[in-house]
Amino acid sequence: MSAPNAPTLTSRDRSPEPPVPHAALGVGAIVLGEQGVLLGRHRRGTLELPGGTVEPGECLEETVVRELAEETGLIVRTEDVRLLGTLVDHVEDVVRVTVGALVTSWRGSPATQPDERVGDWSWYPLDRLPDGLFVCSAQILTAWRPGLPIAHAPAHFTPYA
């Protein structure tokens, strides 16, 4: 705690140049309905949870809401997004930070959206998940439900309280 009437301290960057990018921050959303969990097919063939990259100025819940609307057409409120925790792994020289989220309520039906990389949305029962899950989606699903029989590259999971 600072003393009353104490001057405000300043901070500064180490240099005027931005740091070299070496990390990626994204979210993956578990939308669990009566028929199972929602997965879509990426143009590259993997099946994955809806989600994507955090944009500047967004909180994580806002990213989940935006990505669900953009990719699936589902309407979600930030208060219906529960952040599960952070997964950290790496691909080559990039540290990948993925925050898993559980969506507790939504409006609409998932549908392929124009110009999106992921579409063909379908519901999959948890006891009949398909092969070919995107590794980040597999990591999120097994962090949420550790007993799911999904093999994937390891990631460090830090759950949120």
Side-chain angles (χ1 to χ4, degrees):
M1 299 294 277
S2 62
N5 301 324
T8 301
L9 300 175
T10 63
S11 63
R12 66 178 187 86
D13 292 326
R14 286 189 212 115
S15 76
E17 300 297 318
V20 175
H22 62 278
L25 175 59
V27 299
I30 298 169
V31 181
L32 185 64
E34 292 178 11
Q35 300 170 339
V37 67
L38 184 63
L39 297 172
R41 185 163 304 279
H42 191 280
R43 290 180 188 167
R44 294 184 180 168
T46 56
L47 286 162
E48 53 193 75
L49 298 168
T53 303
V54 177
E55 292 184 356
E58 280 184 329
C59 72
L60 297 167
E61 293 90 348
E62 290 168 340
T63 302
V64 171
V65 168
R66 177 183 52 76
E67 287 288 348
L68 277 165
E70 289 176 0
E71 290 185 341
T72 71
L74 294 177
I75 306 302
V76 175
R77 302 174 310 164
T78 55
E79 55 265 31
D80 295 324
V81 176
R82 184 168 64 91
L83 301 177
L84 301 173
T86 302
L87 289 144
V88 178
D89 69 353
H90 68 280
V91 176
E92 296 182 16
D93 293 334
V94 176
V95 175
R96 183 168 50 192
V97 181
T98 307
V99 176
L102 181 64
V103 176
T104 58
S105 182
W106 64 91
R107 290 192 333 259
S109 296
T112 299
Q113 302 298 306
D115 302 320
E116 286 296 316
R117 293 184 183 128
V118 182
D120 297 326
W121 297 99
S122 294
W123 300 99
Y124 292 86
L126 291 176
D127 62 350
R128 291 194 307 265
L129 291 171
D131 276 333
L133 289 172
F134 177 51
V135 68
C136 290
S137 296
Q139 292 167 336
I140 291 167
L141 287 167
T142 58
W144 171 61
R145 294 271 175 97
L148 290 173
I150 306 169
H152 57 74
H156 179 78
F157 180 60
T158 302
Y160 298 155

